[in-house]
Amino acid sequence: MKIGFVSLGCPKNLVDGEVMLGLAEDAGHEITPDAASADVLVVNTCAFIDRAKQESVDAILDMARHKRDGRCTRLVVTGCLAERYRDELRQEIPEIDAVLGTGEVPRIVAAINGQEAQPLTFFGTSLKARATHSALSYIYDAETPRRLTTPRHFAYVKVAEGCDYTCSFCIIPTLRGSYRSRPAESIVREARALVERGVKELILISQDTTFYGVDRKERGALAALLRELNALDGVEWIRLLYLYPTTITPETVEAMADCEKVCRYVDLPLQHASTSVLRRMRRPGDRAVYSRLLERIRDRMPDVTLRTTFIVGFPGETRQDFDELWGFVKETGFDHLGVFTYSHEEGTRAYSVPDDVPAQVKRQRRDELMRLQRSIVETRHQARIGTRARVLVDGPSADHPLVLQGRTAGQAPEIDPVVYLTECDPSAYPPGTLIEAEITGASGYDLAARPLFQLYARAIV
């Protein structure tokens, strides 16, 4: 059958989607990008905040219309929204034929074939038709079929699944289960296979990547893994996403500094700087602890790029709390910054207290923080004009097809600003080409550059 697939949410959810696509192809099905021509439609959903839930529901309803009016005969809903609202989805959207939670990824072929009630054995584990929180133990391995949906020169590698933290604003542990690391040997085998397929950038992800191996009582596991991956022939960049302030160890920082292929890029979601807000969020540390950590990282890696995210408008956040956060951002000077307004999510610990910061105040605080960040970035960008940087070409810009778009080692795909390459023939630099470029200008958060010479061209496989 022809299978149409829509995947929403974070890169971690994207990997689950790629595994489901791989399993479907391995079972003999054909993947189509055209929903109108699909026999079966699959929507892989997100449920982290209200906006993500609404986007997921809209996508399901859109695919349900294809089922009513077109060729599609089955609609399957998977992922976090399915895990959270399994019964409600089936009741409110009768076009849905099967619902698979986050622990039921291996059941996708059975769901496609209309056998969702039949237990499926996968890697020696019998999975029940209905997942429960206690059954959230699934994680893929190096042998699992997987179809990449990212550009061919970079890929995400999920090193672990689940989360052991109890942050009061977050539903992820309920949806994904407890933290469980993959064996390093499995990760290295998967990475080697990806590199053999032409991948040049490996992006390691999990809910807390610096917690890797702790659940297995493996001291220094992430540092050792980075050194193993750094030794692989053919990989150019290794990037880490989703680090945690209390689990980023000196050994990890040393490995990042020592390994020439590991990007000096630290993605450290801190969420706030006010001690009182952090305590209500059930987050460890405080502004002083964070400042010391960032200072140690910069001392060991002076060229590091720092990325973080904050939540404004958390219940009980006062103007004084926000001013402390604003001062912390100004003092630290992050390279990349994301700001979210607090979303009052049922099922979280924070849902039991009043959402007492008005929506307008939340937006004003977000905008105020982003104005500060823009001024920091503009000053920093001006200092970079005339300098050189290595740039990985991603391909033509979606907004300007005749202009190439790329990234430095300090820019992660899809979440960070980009580098626009001018004064060059786009056909001379296919996606996956690594070049030396000169920074010639800046516009907002993005940079402009001109290629100087080619360092590496991706092999076509």
Side-chain angles (χ1 to χ4, degrees), residues 85-97:
Y85 299 111
R86 178 188 306 264
D87 294 335
E88 293 88 340
L89 287 170
R90 293 293 293 264
Q91 181 177 345
E92 296 297 327
I93 309 177
E95 291 86 355
I96 296 174
D97 297 287

Side-chain angles (χ1 to χ4, degrees), residues 126-336:
S126 179
L127 298 172
K128 296 181 180 179
R130 181 181 176 114
T132 62
H133 181 60
S134 62
L136 292 177
S137 59
Y138 169 76
I139 186 167
Y140 78 110
D141 67 17
E143 278 67 52
T144 309
R146 179 181 170 192
R147 175 177 176 168
L148 297 183
T149 57
T150 53
R152 293 172 64 186
H153 58 283
F154 72 82
Y156 296 101
V157 178
K158 194 187 291 192
V159 301
E161 180 60 277
C163 184
D164 285 352
Y165 293 106
T166 57
C167 301
S168 62
F169 55 84
C170 185
I171 194 71
I172 294 300
T174 302
L175 301 180
R176 293 280 177 176
S178 59
Y179 197 95
R180 48 205 186 272
S181 301
R182 291 174 59 191
E185 175 267 339
S186 173
I187 297 169
V188 172
R189 276 191 290 118
E190 181 188 15
R192 185 177 293 112
L194 290 170
V195 171
E196 289 173 354
R197 292 165 64 175
V199 170
K200 293 300 160 192
E201 179 181 10
L202 299 171
I203 307 173
L204 309 188
I205 57 173
S206 72
Q207 298 300 329
D208 171 12
T209 303
T210 40
F211 196 78
Y212 173 74
V214 175
D215 59 308
R216 297 165 63 92
K217 299 184 172 22
E218 297 173 351
R219 181 178 175 83
L222 181 59
L225 176 63
L226 291 178
R227 296 183 190 280
E228 280 196 75
L229 295 175
N230 191 69
L232 291 179
D233 291 333
V235 65
E236 295 292 332
W237 287 353
I238 301 164
R239 187 183 305 279
L240 284 75
L241 295 184
Y242 314 115
L243 313 184
Y244 203 80
T246 53
T247 56
I248 181 167
T249 63
E251 292 92 343
T252 297
V253 175
E254 285 298 315
M256 294 181 71
D258 291 344
C259 297
E260 69 279 2
K261 296 178 182 179
V262 176
C263 298
R264 273 59 163 177
Y265 178 96
V266 173
D267 171 37
L268 200 66
L270 297 176
Q271 311 304 359
H272 217 280
S274 163
T275 299
S276 63
V277 174
L278 287 167
R279 293 296 172 269
R280 292 195 299 277
M281 287 181 168
R282 299 176 65 90
R283 297 280 294 185
D286 54 29
R287 177 176 177 175
V289 169
Y290 295 167
S291 293
R292 289 194 296 269
L293 171 62
L294 296 172
E295 183 179 356
R296 289 196 299 270
I297 291 172
R298 280 174 162 162
D299 283 346
R300 188 62 183 88
M301 296 183 287
D303 58 343
V304 70
T305 295
L306 294 178
R307 185 183 203 282
T308 194
T309 54
F310 294 115
I311 297 172
V312 295
F314 189 80
E317 182 191 65
T318 65
R319 180 67 205 193
Q320 183 178 354
D321 292 324
F322 174 75
D323 287 344
E324 184 167 4
L325 174 58
W326 192 94
F328 177 64
V329 171
K330 182 176 176 59
E331 171 190 281
T332 304
F334 293 97
D335 299 280
H336 305 307

Side-chain angles (χ1 to χ4, degrees), residues 374-424:
R374 190 178 183 94
S375 68
I376 292 170
V377 170
E378 286 176 349
T379 299
R380 193 158 293 170
H381 278 356
Q382 288 303 310
R384 294 193 67 178
I385 294 175
T387 64
R388 290 186 174 190
R390 290 189 169 194
V391 175
L392 185 65
V393 178
D394 283 331
S397 165
D399 299 323
H400 310 283
L402 298 180
V403 176
L404 284 177
Q405 182 175 306
R407 294 175 288 110
T408 68
Q411 295 169 321
E414 301 177 347
I415 58 173
D416 289 332
V418 300
V419 177
Y420 291 108
L421 297 168
T422 60
E423 303 178 43
C424 66

